């Protein structure tokens, strides 16, 4: 039974395509919500440009990378050249600027690891975090959005995986499990590895987009409208892909040696990255290379306790996908 579950998919797997697609569709944010987010951004831009005419605001994270489900908070980055102020001073000043009749609960969190301003729009209830000069996040947001445009199965898979991770309590970096960003990278990597491949490796292709941020050169092929047929020869549907994703992370990933790398579109070794030992709090128990900050392992938040939790959840999900009569319900049952 165990052997079988590692290799061959159940014969009725295709009957779950429609229910998985229905779940995906129920998670997509309605147009109205997108419009409200834009309105809030416009208000913020107006308030900021009065004080700092050269500053710019960028949306990043799930509100801009196309992997945001309905009712997500929005992530905003203030890009500003203020050489004489550190980030916590900027955050304090920004909170003052934004304190207006139209906004509620504007808070400056100056002592957080990443200083931010938090606020809430009282009309729509949208919450927003504003960070300062985190332009790498803006660039990796674009990379994710570009990948999503190549094949619709990426967005479907990532929504299902994020929904599963939130339902099962394994999307909490402060508890040692993985960020949404890490799960999306896992999905991209998985689709780069299907045979035939469903996604290409954009960073290995001709450069059509290039920016240098914090001394890191970020370049890749971003003319994704030319790649719309890329996954044509692979006919797998969302149910098969969810099954394959969990069976990979439950039974086939080499946790001892392997690093998944969207940047190279392949698996590289921990040895090569020098991620074989614990250094400080970085233990490298599950290794996901950031596509641009390549020294950065998105699995570094995972500790010896939470790795067990994660792997048990992957195994539970794989078993459900293989044997459960009703996987589209069972997978998302609260823990
Ligand atoms: P959610 O829908 O759960 O809010 P999200 O896509 O906004 O998902 P977060 O994990 O909240 O994901 O991260 C927001 C953004 O911040 C990511 O899209 C990414 O651009 C950036 N980011 C998050 N974690 C990291 C990290 N460890 N290294 C680099 N960038 C990160
Ligand atoms: Mg977010």
């Amino acid at each position: 039974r165990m052997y079988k579950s590692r290799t061959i998919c159940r014969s009725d797997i295709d009957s779950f395509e429609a229910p998985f697609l229905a779940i995906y569709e129920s998670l997509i944010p309605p147009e109205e919500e997108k419009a409200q987010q834009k309105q809030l951004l416009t208000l913020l831009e107006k308030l900021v440009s009065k004080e700092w005419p050269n500053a710019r605001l960028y949306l990043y994270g799930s509100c801009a990378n196309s992997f945001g489900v309905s009712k997500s908070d929005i992530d905003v980055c203030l890009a500003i050249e203020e050489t004489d102020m550190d980030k916590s001073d900027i955050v304090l000043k920004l909170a003052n600027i934004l304190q207006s009749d139209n906004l509620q609960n504007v808070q400056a969190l100056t002592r957080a690891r990443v200083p931010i301003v938090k606020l809430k729009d009282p009309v729509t209830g949208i919450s927003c975090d504003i960070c300062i000069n985190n332009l790498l996040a803006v660039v990796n947001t674009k990379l994710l959005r570009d990948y999503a445009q190549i094949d619709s199965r990426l967005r479907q898979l990532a929504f299902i995986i994020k929904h599963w991770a939130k339902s099962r309590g394994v999307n909490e970096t402060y508890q040692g499990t993985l960020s949404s960003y890490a799960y999306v990278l896992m999905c991209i990597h998985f689709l780069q590895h299907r045979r035939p491949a469903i996604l290409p490796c954009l960073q290995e292709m001709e450069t059509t987009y290039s920016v240098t941020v914090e001394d890191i050169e970020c370049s890749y092929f971003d003319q994704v409208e030319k790649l719309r047929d890329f996954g044509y020869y692979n006919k797998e549907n969302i149910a098969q892909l969810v099954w394959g994703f969990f069976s990979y992370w439950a039974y086939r990933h080499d946790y001892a040696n392997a690093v998944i790398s969207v940047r190279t579109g392949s698996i590289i070794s921990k040895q090569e990255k020098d991620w074989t030992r614990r250094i400080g709090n970085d233990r490298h128990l599950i290794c996901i290379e950031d596509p641009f900050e390549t020294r950065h392992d998105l699995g570094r938040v995972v500790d010896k306790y939470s790795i067990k939790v994660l792997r048990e959840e992957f195994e539970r999900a794989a078993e459900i996908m293989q044997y459960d009569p009703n996987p589209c319900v069972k997978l998302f049952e609260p823990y």
Side-chain angles (χ1 to χ4, degrees):
R1 177 182 142 134
M2 211 48 177
Y3 179 71
K4 204 173 151 198
S5 73
R6 284 164 203 235
T7 53
I8 318 164
C9 187
R10 65 200 279 169
S11 57
D12 62 347
I13 189 74
D14 291 344
S15 67
F16 304 110
E17 181 188 6
F20 271 121
L21 282 179
I23 294 169
Y24 161 68
E25 267 148 32
S26 73
L27 295 168
I28 297 175
E31 277 308 314
E32 187 199 349
E33 220 176 287
K34 290 271 142 200
Q36 291 175 339
Q37 292 180 350
K38 279 229 176 69
Q39 259 173 30
L40 176 57
L41 189 69
T42 308
L43 170 64
L44 297 176
E45 273 167 343
K46 203 177 92 197
L47 294 169
V48 165
S49 68
K50 265 192 221 156
E51 191 71 29
W52 284 313
N54 295 324
R56 286 208 54 186
L57 290 177
Y58 295 97
L59 284 178
Y60 73 100
S62 62
C63 56
N65 65 17
S66 76
F67 297 104
V69 302
S70 186
K71 308 256 154 41
S72 300
D73 296 350
I74 67 175
D75 300 303
V76 178
C77 171
L78 172 75
I80 183 169
E81 286 179 38
E82 271 286 1
T83 38
D84 58 337
M85 284 171 92
D86 64 25
K87 285 192 182 174
S88 47
D89 293 338
I90 297 175
V91 153
L92 280 174
K93 183 160 176 194
L94 178 63
N96 271 321
I97 295 169
L98 298 179
Q99 202 69 250
S100 75
D101 302 343
N102 293 333
L103 295 173
Q104 250 180 5
N105 313 333
V106 181
Q107 285 179 303
L109 306 188
T110 51
R111 281 187 300 203
R113 192 178 53 84
V114 180
I116 56 168
V117 172
K118 266 188 169 312
L119 56 87
K120 188 166 179 163
D121 179 354
V123 181
T124 58
I126 297 176
S127 301
C128 169
D129 289 352
I130 309 173
C131 68
I132 316 298
N133 291 337
N134 185 6
L135 291 170
L136 272 172
V138 176
V139 179
N140 69 38
T141 293
K142 172 173 160 60
L143 180 73
L144 266 47
R145 184 176 61 236
D146 286 337
Y147 269 114
Q149 288 184 53
I150 299 171
D151 194 293
S152 55
R153 288 169 290 186
L154 170 58
R155 197 164 175 240
Q156 296 166 6
L157 181 65
F159 270 52
I160 299 291
I161 301 303
K162 276 178 68 173
H163 183 45
W164 161 83
K166 285 181 206 282
S167 312
R168 300 299 299 171
V170 288
N171 181 207
E172 310 285 357
T173 47
Y174 68 93
Q175 287 178 351
T177 55
L178 298 169
S179 65
S180 297
Y181 178 56
Y183 282 113
V184 175
L185 291 173
M186 289 157 78
C187 291
I188 294 173
H189 185 262
F190 174 73
L191 298 181
Q192 286 175 329
H193 272 245
R194 301 313 287 167
R195 289 297 171 262
I198 294 179
L199 291 178
C201 173
L202 295 175
Q203 289 171 275
E204 294 271 283
M205 296 169 64
E206 168 203 356
T207 297
T208 57
Y209 168 83
S210 182
V211 283
T212 302
V213 182
E214 290 165 28
D215 292 329
I216 298 174
E217 195 197 323
C218 306
S219 54
Y220 66 94
F221 184 78
D222 77 335
Q223 298 176 1
V224 286
E225 62 286 352
K226 295 186 180 157
L227 298 172
R228 289 271 161 72
D229 296 328
F230 185 89
Y232 176 82
Y233 293 103
N234 183 311
K235 303 294 182 197
E236 289 174 299
N237 64 42
I238 181 63
Q240 293 166 327
L241 293 171
V242 173
W243 176 88
F245 180 90
F246 285 124
S247 111
Y248 174 78
W249 286 98
Y251 310 123
R252 289 201 309 282
H253 181 69
D254 178 1
Y255 287 83
N257 303 301
V259 176
I260 66 155
S261 163
V262 164
R263 170 181 63 97
T264 59
S266 64
I267 289 187
I268 54 189
S269 71
K270 288 193 191 179
Q271 207 91 42
E272 188 179 325
K273 308 268 325 174
D274 199 20
W275 284 353
T276 50
R277 300 156 281 129
R278 172 175 173 182
I279 298 179
N281 268 333
D282 293 10
R283 293 166 221 244
H284 307 299
L285 300 174
I286 174 172
C287 293
I288 302 155
E289 182 194 56
D290 186 88
F292 299 123
E293 283 178 285
T294 56
R295 282 177 318 177
H296 189 161
D297 175 8
L298 294 164
R300 69 181 175 184
V301 290
V302 176
D303 59 37
K304 69 175 195 272
Y305 170 73
S306 60
I307 188 67
K308 264 193 73 189
V309 173
L310 261 178
R311 293 187 62 172
E312 280 167 16
E313 283 297 331
F314 288 138
E315 282 167 35
R316 170 188 177 272
E319 287 271 309
I320 290 171
M321 287 308 295
Q322 185 69 4
Y323 300 110
D324 197 88
N326 209 350
C328 303
V329 173
K330 191 69 185 239
L331 210 49
F332 309 105
E333 271 177 8
Y335 56 103

